[in-house]
């Protein structure tokens, strides 16, 4: 994460956000459960939640909730919307004719 953004998070929160960035690089968005993000980052669930809440509040990510009536909800999809952060991880959003988000490696 760029230093001007990273200074607003703790080390643990940055670890959780790194997992989100890695998933975005590989899949175009992070569909991992909050417990999986926390486990991969080596932090507790609360730290991962706090990181995503802060990133959302700062306008760095968009969280798409996937609730299903009468059934268990699907995992949220976290997408990085910050241009500085996407440039930092080496991705840019492609313009497409459909509504899906497509990403490509720029390096």
């Amino acid at each position: 994460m760029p230093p001007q953004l990273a200074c607003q998070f703790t080390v643990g929160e940055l670890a959780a956000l790194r997992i989100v960035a890695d998933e975005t690089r590989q899949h175009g968005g992070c569909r991992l459960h909050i417990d999986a993000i926390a486990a991969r980052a080596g932090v507790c669930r609360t730290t991962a939640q706090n990181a995503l809440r802060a990133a959302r509040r700062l306008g760095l990510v968009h969280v798409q909730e996937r609730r299903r009536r009468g059934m268990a909800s699907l995992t949220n999809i976290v997408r990085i919307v910050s241009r500085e952060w996407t440039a930092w991880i080496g991705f840019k959003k492609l313009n497409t004719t459909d509504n899906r988000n497509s990403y490509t490696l720029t390096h």
Side-chain angles (χ1 to χ4, degrees):
M1 178 176 287
Q4 66 272 18
L5 298 176
C7 67
Q8 301 178 52
F9 298 95
T10 66
V11 174
E13 290 170 346
L14 286 172
L17 294 174
R18 168 65 189 266
I19 302 305
V20 172
D22 289 346
E23 284 294 308
T24 298
R25 186 178 314 136
Q26 291 178 350
H27 306 291
C30 180
R31 290 175 170 81
L32 294 176
H33 189 274
I34 194 72
D35 291 327
I37 294 171
R40 288 185 184 187
V43 298
C44 68
R45 174 187 174 91
T46 304
T47 300
Q49 286 175 323
N50 289 341
L52 288 173
R53 281 187 197 122
R56 189 178 197 178
R57 186 182 68 247
L58 293 169
L60 303 177
V61 298
H62 176 269
V63 179
Q64 176 187 349
E65 294 181 0
R66 301 190 297 167
R67 297 179 187 266
R68 299 189 301 175
R69 179 173 282 163
M71 301 169 60
S73 294
L74 299 173
T75 58
N76 294 342
I77 301 173
V78 180
R79 288 190 170 79
I80 299 172
V81 295
S82 164
R83 289 183 185 191
E84 296 85 6
W85 193 5
T86 55
W88 182 264
I89 63 172
F91 280 81
K92 68 175 186 176
K93 190 173 173 180
L94 295 178
N95 292 328
T96 58
T97 56
D98 60 1
N99 290 332
R100 292 179 299 175
N101 287 326
S102 299
Y103 293 84
T104 186
L105 186 61
T106 58
H107 294 140

